[in-house]
Amino acid sequence: MLNVTINDKDVSVETGATILEAARSAGVQIPTLCNLEHLSPLGACRVCVVEVEGAKALMAACATPVRDGMVIHTNSPRARTARKTVVDLLLSEHEGNCQYCDRSLDCELRVLSFDLGIQEPMYVGAKPGGQADFSTPALVRDGEKCVKCRRCVTVCNEVQQVGALFPQYRGYETVIGPAFAMNLDDVACVQCGQCAAVCPVGAITERSHMEGVWKALADPDLHVIVQTAPAVRAALGECFGMEPGRLVTGQMVTALRELGFDGIFDTNFTADLTIMEEGTELLTRLKGALAPDDPQLPPPALPMFTSCSPGWIKFAEYYFPDMLGHLSTCKSPQQMFGAIAKTYYAEKVGVDPAKMVVVSVMPCTAKKFEAARSELADSGFQDVDFVLTTRELGRMIQAGGVDFASLPDGTMDSPLGYSSGAADIFANTGGVMEAALRTAYELVTGRELPVDNLHVAPVAGLEGVKEAEIQITAPLPDWAFLDGVTVRVAVAHGLGNAAAVMRAVRSGERTYHFVEVMTCPGGCIGGGGQPRFTTDAVRLARINAIYREDEGKPHRKSHENPDVLELYASFLGQPLGEKSHHLLHTNYEARARV
Amino acid sequence: MHVQTAQTVAPLDQALVDSLDAYIREHQEEAGNLIPVLQYAQSAFGYLPEDVLKHISEALQISYSEVTGVVTFYSFFSTVPRGKHIVRVCLGTACYVRGGKEVLRAFRETLGIDVGGTTEDREFSLEVGRCFGACGLAPVVMVGDDVHQRVKPSGVKDILAQYEGVNA
Ligand code: SF4
Ligand code: SF4
Ligand code: SF4
Ligand code: FES
């Protein structure tokens, strides 16, 4: 332990801690810009400078480890002046109009400027400018607002290992962007939106679908229905100042009703449906590998990887084109919902699917890209018409004059609104795996998954790659070939972790039967469309809220959802049956990286 | 805004691509191999064509944006074919104080290109240097391997005329 003094307070910290960490542990806030938790400090922006007694130069708190006996002043006149100068310079190059900006309510630059008491431009000169990039379906980049903090570069390269963004050119000419400052669709961006999630300003954000949704809602000829992803209910409250981890499912439903949707449904419903399809697909693959009906046939690819996360799918299409056969053919719950809504539900309510508009509310930007994939239109109509992020829904509720906090709880509509707890946990890293195991284990053995409270503890939590083994004993006669088999599973979140698992599988270093991948750190609860700013503390609060939602449900296994069973009985037939195959499954295409 | 992007003006010479691949194989495992590989490629092809950059990105498993980020950071990398004659104007201290900047301006205006640029007829490329070790003769300009001393802005046209249309 080291002892230091921060603003006259005595503080003990672990050896190796930075000044920033020491200050935070003592409740002293130091503003930061380029710094991101758990990632190597860049020390680039110098917003975090502090004065250390005895040192000539000011120190970047995020990048300076404390030494024993250090006397630190975070708010001395010198530190404040320097910080102000740094922010003044950033503002002098920043081309923005807060009143028109997507970030006017949560912009870190605006807050910095306000907190430092900057009231007028100190430096006036040429601004480097920058272009707007509308090239992709999910994201909009506005180079004029970029303050070159490089957070997006760190996330895109280190966490996602995509490397779509990198500083181009040098000095005053530097542009943070894709190769040669071209557009995002000129490089292998997977549309995950993690760059937008960490950007402190309005330089990267989602492509808005709000206008389209408002128009559809106002059109009396259209039947406009909405589905909400599991992760939204654990984060939407943050748009209204509630603490992270507040569950607002019921209020969300009421708010959607007030906005005028004709049906309020749940992506959870099709998450349960996904488990039925994906679980059956897994068991079919296991059978093909371990006890094939026809040993002449090539064995199916194992491990099978989940396919709910569209950023992950695009990543695999770019980086692992040789392994696309390992991806489950199941469409994601969002797309299954659209396909079922425009067939089964349309028939049931007697609405022409041509006049039906399916809106999704997602924690994700890549879902906008996914909804636009031309092959996802098996009903004859695009499965999903508009995708709102959690943030966009928050803004629509606000704009709709709805006082969210005072809303009573509502319930989702039938027949696509009821879900089991297994569907809720799709929001968390490890959740799809847990949900699949709850169902597959029981299908195979006739017994409940023998873990505490149905939670598969080894695959929960924020560890990057998690593994678990499940021993199958005394299966039902149909599954006799699984007797004594140890099923090995893995869970990865963040694409860098997913890539590590893929490489280990490809080389044979690791063998699994089933792997869950979620694109975003923490899973969907940490998606690129969630309220900013998502730290690990926020991730954990949302994760725990989702587990609470699961535990409170009357049904906690997908195969017990009565409405899903009814859907099979009256429409689909059986999992992996002909109709399912047509409506609920898809295929993937290799993509050129550059 | 930037106009610099990469292009591939002519089909790549397969023998050169093979030699680049051999070089990459040799240095595949080394940390920090991107810059040496780019230098090798530039000396082989004379510039860094778009196709070569993409090839390097694939071969080294480094994202294309990172490759171009490095290429655009260092002024000695060029993504457009260089001119037959490389004009380098010294802006070292001695040359600078004795009018190097004005000489550079004269070259820019006469050639109609910026530093780093190449004339459309690919006769000339313009670069700046930092001291050629001939400070006594400042300001100094090199064209190819020739040194021109005590250059005046008014003499720029005459210097260029000596090279125009001549093979380097
Ligand atoms: S990025 Fe921030 S400072 Fe800039 S215009 Fe938007 S809100 Fe204002
Ligand atoms: S969306 Fe994801 S892959 Fe694309 S630039 Fe942003 S972080 Fe990188
Ligand atoms: S786009 Fe945003 S995150 Fe990226 S460098 Fe610019 S300001 Fe920072
Ligand atoms: S936050 Fe410390 S230098 Fe940017």
Side-chain angles (χ1 to χ4, degrees):
Chain A
M1 293 299 268
L2 303 174
N3 295 307
V4 296
T5 310
I6 303 179
N7 300 352
D8 302 326
K9 271 192 226 179
D10 293 327
V11 186
S12 296
V13 289
E14 302 275 337
T15 311
T18 61
I19 295 178
L20 180 66
E21 286 159 348
R24 284 194 179 151
S25 77
V28 174
Q29 296 303 325
I30 300 173
T32 56
L33 200 57
C34 63
N35 192 252
L36 284 175
E37 70 172 351
H38 309 314
L39 295 167
S40 33
L42 280 178
C45 74
R46 312 224 30 106
V47 163
C48 65
V49 285
V50 296
E51 191 163 1
V52 175
E53 282 186 15
K56 262 201 225 122
L58 296 173
M59 307 268 197
C62 69
T64 312
V66 291
R67 270 179 292 100
D68 201 37
M70 252 186 186
V71 181
I72 299 156
H73 301 281
T74 69
N75 236 340
S76 67
R78 225 181 123 206
R80 280 184 55 80
T81 308
R83 198 171 289 149
K84 209 168 157 180
T85 307
V86 166
V87 176
D88 264 324
L89 285 167
L90 289 176
L91 287 169
S92 77
E93 297 200 343
H94 179 74
E95 192 85 71
N97 265 324
C98 302
Q99 65 272 35
Y100 301 121
C101 183
D102 210 62
R103 295 302 295 276
S104 41
L105 288 184
D106 64 353
C107 171
E108 294 180 45
L109 180 63
R110 200 181 50 68
V111 170
L112 269 177
S113 168
F114 179 83
D115 287 355
L116 289 165
I118 297 174
Q119 290 187 328
E120 54 184 358
M122 181 99 84
Y123 305 97
V124 184
K127 299 183 192 237
Q131 88 229 41
D133 173 358
F134 290 94
S135 66
T136 65
L139 295 164
V140 178
R141 292 169 54 247
D142 185 350
E144 294 199 311
K145 291 182 185 152
C146 173
V147 294
K148 302 183 180 143
C149 70
R150 304 185 184 203
R151 278 189 196 169
C152 57
V153 175
T154 307
V155 161
C156 189
N157 287 265
E158 287 184 33
V159 178
Q160 301 300 56
Q161 289 181 19
V162 172
L165 303 173
F166 207 83
Q168 310 289 318
Y169 312 99
R170 68 182 300 168
Y172 180 76
E173 307 250 279
T174 304
V175 173
I176 308 296
F180 293 120
M182 297 185 302
N183 283 334
L184 257 189
D185 78 343
D186 293 316
V187 295
C189 161
V190 306
Q191 304 276 283
C192 67
Q194 283 300 309
C195 49
V198 298
C199 182
V201 295
I204 313 182
T205 189
E206 66 268 50
R207 181 187 271 266
S208 172
H209 285 188
M210 289 187 287
E211 242 357 271
V213 175
W214 283 124
K215 275 212 189 95
L217 285 170
D219 186 337
D221 289 340
L222 297 176
H223 185 81
V224 188
I225 62 173
V226 64
Q227 56 165 324
T228 56
V232 176
R233 62 210 68 189
L236 181 64
E238 292 166 45
C239 297
F240 307 98
M242 297 175 184
E243 76 286 358
R246 174 87 74 89
L247 280 169
V248 294
T249 321
Q251 286 169 307
M252 173 179 76
V253 171
T254 307
L256 290 167
R257 225 176 274 296
E258 303 236 330
L259 289 178
F261 286 98
D262 298 309
I264 294 152
F265 298 122
D266 213 339
T267 316
N268 276 18
F269 175 80
T270 37
D272 277 334
L273 184 62
T274 300
I275 290 299
M276 299 301 286
E277 294 291 325
E278 203 168 64
T280 311
E281 182 184 357
L282 175 66
L283 293 173
T284 308
R285 286 191 192 222
L286 286 173
K287 178 146 201 319
L290 301 173
D293 290 331
D294 178 358
Q296 301 301 102
L297 286 176
L302 284 174
M304 183 175 87
F305 284 76
T306 57
S307 55
C308 313
S309 184
W312 150 241
I313 295 297
K314 199 170 185 230
F315 184 76
E317 289 176 329
Y318 281 127
Y319 294 93
F320 298 94
D322 55 320
M323 293 173 76
L324 295 179
H326 287 262
L327 301 184
S328 162
T329 59
C330 287
K331 286 185 186 176
S332 73
Q334 157 172 283
Q335 300 303 133
M336 285 197 186
F337 181 93
I340 292 295
K342 291 189 179 177
T343 54
Y344 172 72
Y345 169 75
E347 229 173 277
K348 234 177 152 109
V349 292
V351 169
D352 175 3
K355 299 252 180 234
M356 184 182 290
V357 175
V358 174
V359 177
S360 319
V361 185
M362 294 283 142
C364 182
T365 56
K367 289 280 169 195
K368 292 181 189 258
F369 163 80
E370 181 184 49
R373 287 179 75 127
S374 58
E375 74 275 20
L376 298 179
D378 292 315
S379 64
F381 304 92
Q382 203 66 22
D383 293 344
V384 172
D385 300 287
F386 295 105
V387 179
L388 300 170
T389 60
T390 309
R391 296 188 290 259
E392 287 175 276
L393 176 60
R395 284 175 76 173
M396 285 188 67
I397 292 171
Q398 195 81 34
V402 179
D403 178 18
F404 191 80
S406 67
L407 292 178
D409 285 349
T411 34
M412 303 258 185
D413 295 324
S414 190
L416 311 177
Y418 184 78
S419 62
S420 77
D424 286 299
I425 58 175
F426 265 59
N428 294 349
T429 170
V432 174
M433 178 58 68
E434 183 171 308
L437 291 176
R438 287 181 190 176
T439 286
Y441 187 90
E442 200 163 316
L443 281 183
V444 166
T445 64
R447 303 184 303 272
E448 188 163 88
L449 183 66
V451 291
D452 184 30
N453 202 7
L454 289 175
H455 292 313
V456 185
V459 298
L462 291 179
E463 190 72 34
V465 178
K466 297 164 283 188
E467 297 176 327
E469 293 189 341
I470 297 94
Q471 177 92 37
I472 310 273
T473 49
L476 296 171
D478 278 354
W479 307 101
F481 68 94
L482 284 171
D483 200 7
V485 169
T486 300
V487 176
R488 286 185 308 281
V489 303
V491 167
H493 55 123
L495 293 174
N497 293 322
V501 171
M502 285 299 255
R503 284 190 296 266
V505 166
R506 187 196 258 155
S507 71
E509 184 191 324
R510 273 279 186 276
T511 54
Y512 303 112
H513 297 100
F514 190 27
V515 180
E516 174 206 290
V517 175
M518 294 192 191
T519 303
C520 294
C524 309
I525 52 90
Q530 292 282 57
R532 299 172 175 104
F533 192 90
T534 303
T535 59
D536 273 358
V538 173
R539 287 187 185 94
L540 286 171
R542 293 178 188 157
I543 283 174
N544 290 332
I546 290 291
Y547 284 128
R548 284 201 307 281
E549 185 88 336
D550 159 36
E551 286 159 10
K553 287 274 174 83
H555 298 100
R556 294 189 58 208
K557 302 165 204 158
S558 298
H559 59 278
E560 290 177 347
N561 180 333
D563 291 349
V564 167
L565 297 178
E566 168 60 24
L567 170 65
Y568 277 111
S570 66
F571 182 71
L572 285 174
Q574 54 180 6
L576 298 191
E578 203 190 310
K579 230 178 192 144
S580 291
H581 185 78
H582 172 61
L583 289 175
L584 308 181
H585 291 259
T586 185
N587 44 48
Y588 311 106
E589 47 164 298
R591 292 172 193 264
R593 231 169 305 166
V594 285
Chain B
M1 268 320 297
H2 300 278
V3 285
Q4 183 197 2
T5 56
Q7 46 182 253
T8 305
V9 286
L12 299 179
D13 178 342
Q14 192 54 44
L16 293 179
V17 176
D18 292 344
S19 83
L20 174 63
D21 283 336
Y23 185 86
I24 289 175
R25 267 195 303 279
E26 221 173 287
H27 300 272
Q28 191 86 52
E29 300 304 323
E30 291 164 23
N33 54 9
L34 177 57
I35 289 180
V37 166
L38 288 170
Q39 280 171 320
Y40 183 91
Q42 173 150 310
S43 61
F45 294 93
Y47 72 109
L48 292 169
E50 181 182 20
D51 290 354
V52 168
L53 293 178
K54 291 186 169 176
H55 184 75
I56 290 173
S57 158
E58 285 283 331
L60 294 180
Q61 296 281 304
I62 295 175
S63 79
Y64 187 51
S65 298
E66 181 169 350
V67 170
T68 67
V70 169
V71 166
T72 55
F73 186 85
Y74 293 105
S75 55
F76 51 79
F77 288 129
S78 173
T79 52
V80 287
R82 314 263 58 206
K84 271 193 294 193
H85 309 285
I86 312 290
V87 178
R88 285 188 296 157
V89 180
C90 181
L91 288 185
T93 315
C95 290
Y96 190 86
V97 299
R98 285 162 74 176
K101 218 175 142 202
E102 283 69 44
V103 172
L104 177 62
R105 184 181 311 133
F107 274 109
R108 281 173 33 207
E109 279 165 7
T110 314
L111 293 171
I113 54 175
D114 252 326
V115 174
T118 297
T119 55
E120 244 166 63
D121 59 9
R122 292 223 200 101
E123 283 288 331
F124 296 102
S125 291
L126 184 59
E127 291 176 1
V128 294
R130 301 273 167 223
C131 195
F132 305 145
C135 304
L137 309 169
V140 177
V141 172
M142 287 185 74
V143 182
D145 294 332
D146 304 344
V147 178
H148 297 262
Q149 6 176 309
R150 299 213 170 93
V151 178
K152 292 196 184 66
S154 57
V156 161
K157 280 209 176 74
D158 287 344
I159 293 179
L160 291 174
Q162 298 169 34
Y163 297 93
E164 182 103 50
V166 177
N167 277 332

